[in-house]
Each structure stands twice: as C-alpha cells, then as structure tokens.
Amino acid sequence: MALVGRSGEIVAANAALGLLLGIEPDRLAGVRADALTGLGLDGRARGSYRAVLRGQSDRMRCTRRLKHADGHSLWAEVTVAPVPGRTSAALLTVSDISERRDLQDRLRHIQMHDPVTRLPNRALFFERLTGALSDSATGRIGLCFLGLDGFKAVNDTLGHRVGDQLLGAAGQRLAQCAAGAGGHLVARLGGDEFAVLVEGSTGTEQLTALAETMLAALQRPFDLAGQRIAVSASIGVVEREAADTTATGLMQAADTTLYWAKADGKARWTLFDPERNAHRMTRQSLSSTLRRGVDRGEFTLEYQPIVGLADDIVRGAEALVRWRHPQFGTLGPDRFIGLAEENGAIVPLGRWVLAEACRQARRWQREHPGPPLFVSVNVAVRQVWDSDLVRDVASALRESGLPSGLLQLELTESAVMGSAGRPLQALQALSDMGVRIAIDDFGTGYSNLAYLSRLPVRALKLDGMFVRGFRTARHLNPADETIVTSLVQLAHKLGLTVTAECVEGPAQAERLRRIGCDTGQGWHYARPMPPDHLAALLAGRD
C-alpha cells in the first residue's frame, strides 16, 4: 500500500509494496503513483484516477501489467480510494494477481485449443477471423478450408485412437506449412476439417500456393502405430475483400468450395467461383420453392405432337411441363424435374400434370370429332413408390372423363428395369385399366430386351441418339440403320409400337418410315406448343 498526496505523488509506502516492485519503500516517496502503476497510460484510467484524487469519485480499480526492478513482469490489481479526514488524497493498493492471471490464461488456452491436435479450435478461429475482417493490413482476407479424404475409413478399420493420432500428425504438418508461408493461423474446426486463416491476403496466388503446399505435405504417408497410412485432402480456397464479407459469409463460401473439391474428385484444391455458387443458390432456391409453386399454380403444360410416319397424321401429344417462375422466368423440365425427384415434390407436381393433361386431352376429344388423340405423360419412378399412382390415374381419368385408352404413361428404361413388387403391380394394374405403358429413351439404359416380355409395355420410344445419323442420306451410318431396324422388328414381333424421338428433318422421317417406325416426334413436325396451338393443328386435320 501507499498514501498518495493530492498532487499525485506517493507520500509513504509500506514494505510489501517495495517488495512487490523490488524497490526500497523510502525510495518510493515522491514518485508519481500514476507513472509507477501505469494509471496514466490510457485516458480512461487516468480520468478515473484523477477523479478520486479530486474527491469526485469514491473508488477506481483496474488491472495493470507492472515491471519488477529485476526486469520480470507481474500482473497486479490496482485500487485507489479516498482517505477521509486525512491530508493525503487517497490510498493506493496494489495486489499481485499473477498466479490467478496465469491460471486464467491456462484455462483460456484449454478452452480455445483442440485437445487432439493441440491446434486452435473453432472458438479461437472465429475470434481471430472476426478480428481479421475488421482490421486487415491489405484490406483482403483468405481462407483454406480443408477436409481429409476417407478419414472415416481410418476410424472404422484402425480405430479412433489411430484416427486421433492421424489428426494430430496431419495438424502438425499443416502448422508447419502455414509457419513456412508466413505464420498463418491453423485451426481444427471439428471432425477431419481444418482451416487456415490468411490475414492480410495478397491475392489468390498466395492462397492457391499454400493449398498446393499443404496437399503435397499430406500426401506423404504417415507412420502411426506400426501402420503406414496414406491419406489425401480436399481444400476449398476463398479469397476476397475483407470489407465485403462477414465471418458467416466467408465460412459458407469455404464450405461450399470444399464440397466442390470433393465432388470434383478429391485430392485437390478448388477456388471459390461466384458464378458456380450463383447456380447452386439458384438450384437451392428452386428446390425450396417447388412445392409452393405447385400450390400457387405456377406450372403449365406444353404439348409436342406425335405423328404417324406413314401418313403424317397427328396421333397423340406428349405433355411437357414448364415452370413460370416469378423470379427466373419460364423454366424447362431439365431445370427442376431432377430437383423435384430429389426432394419429393415430384409427387404433387406429377399428380397435377397427370390431371391437367387428362383434362386437356378430353377437351380436344370433345372439340375435334376426328380420330381421338392420346396424351402421353412422363412418370418418375418415385411417383410409383411414394404415392398411389394407380389411384391418382384413376382419379384423373374419372374427373376428366378421358377414356383410359387415350392416356399413355412414359417411364424411363432404367426406372422399370428389374421392376418387381409394388412397381410391377402398379404397372400391371394400370395396364388392366386400359392405360398404355411406354418405355421412354429406350436404348440408353440397360438395353435388356428380356424384361419387355414380363412388363405390360405397349410402346417403345427410341432415344434420339439412334436417329441422329439419319439426318441426310449422304452421311448415313449403316450401323445406325441396322440397330434401329432390328429394334423396330423385334418390338413389332412383341406387339409393341415404336416412336422415334428427335426427328429433325425430312431425311430422318423418310428413313424411319421405310424402316417401319410407327410414329415420330421432333422439330421436323413441331416444337412443344401451348394447347390452343395444337388445337389449331387438329382443326386442320379435321
């Protein structure tokens, strides 16, 4: 302790204070207390200290790092309080809290570091990342987000103890790479994922060079527990202006880019691509709004005529769904059908397409007295598994009044290949109702003709790849003609009709007619069109 005069100089100090600082107590007299304790180093502490000396405050307390006379440092808690009724202004108390501070530092180190790799953990990484975003020397920041390839297999085959040893050894190699490249922070974020933070990045070249170095370091085998273990890593690399991003945004970009690196084949680094990310975000947006789009009536159908090759008469039409998206405009099925199959929205969407196509076909039947036009509707295999397709078809036919023989359901070859159990039962029930079953894109899947005799199939639709060589007689490929001829003859012997897809010109149509194909579909006849345009074609036919 020490008594401090109103001028701020020490009047008297006890032996404990002298021992704490390594200075004889009597030599402390006359020394300015704020200089001795560091109270004058910052404005806030200095103001509080002077307020106590002037009698305007009853106490101030702060923590300061003090220097002993022999050169070592210590942490102290400094308290200044008025002394009532004395000529001295205040009582200065200095308490050594070095042990408590050291304990706090050790606890923080434990709290902020991963026990397996001894590297900084997620909490410390995000603390440093947040600070780097607000105070970057170059105004830019970089991040390498790394995941070990096949780490789960190491845990499963060699055990978690060896897995932890591998994580530790990999972490040390990454730390050495980062130290050699400028002392960047390396952290384990969890599992087999590590992150390297490049504060004050100088550009993508710096980040990709670091990624190359880390990949090379990890490709060297690890000798652990008598085992030689070879691993690889995938790295997502992100580099951008610090002012234009947040910690969350940077990590989302890094996570996405790491996923790309793994999807692209692993054992590589991949640089963040804004255009690719925009496509992913668009895909995600479409996926999340599919069901609502069905409920809001955002989908519509166009129809492509299916024409008899022998007489050029329209025999049917394939219903093709379009999405009139409020943000992205009109989208073709290639943009959303795959997403609908992934998230299950194909069931309500397919149910709507089926009902709408049947209603439209029934309108054509009523309005055009000529030969009846069948409508062909694509069915995803998930519609068979996740819904009662037979009931949905029966309901659509009943509500529309369309005869069952004027509805054709198209399934891909791969979807019906090896069908058994529920799918086969559903197809058989639909066939018994009189509905036509067609195999779409025939020849692109397993090309196993044996199953055709076991399934209630009425028609085959040859994939366009088989008729592309028919565009001109001059460039006709004899092999293409042989294959198509054989398929058509076999289908006819099995009692099946054959539709050729992607007929784009008269030479193709003529060649397919000579071969014996029953119907054709493609731009040679018409592109997909709204239902009223097809009605006009039917009126001309009538």
Side-chain angles (χ1 to χ4, degrees), residues 32 55 126 204 207 237 261 263 281 325 371 500 527 535:
R32 293 191 59 83
F126 273 96
T204 56
L207 271 294
V237 179
M281 296 299 292
H325 196 281
R527 299 193 180 198

Side-chain angles (χ1 to χ4, degrees), residues 413 417-418 442-443 445-455 490:
E413 182 182 354
M417 174 60 184
F442 184 77
Y446 297 92
S447 300
N448 184 343
L449 300 175
Y451 70 91
L452 290 178
S453 62
R454 302 195 302 269
L455 294 174
L490 180 58

Side-chain angles (χ1 to χ4, degrees), residues 303-307 314 316-318 520-522 525-529 534 537:
Y303 299 86
Q304 186 170 37
I306 299 174
V307 179
V314 179
E318 180 180 355
Q521 177 182 350
Y525 299 106
R527 299 193 180 198
M529 61 184 68
L534 185 56
L537 283 181

Side-chain angles (χ1 to χ4, degrees), residues 39 42-49 60 64:
L39 293 177
D42 64 82
R44 183 175 180 181
R46 184 167 59 248
S48 299
Y49 169 64
M60 70 87 61
R64 283 289 182 268

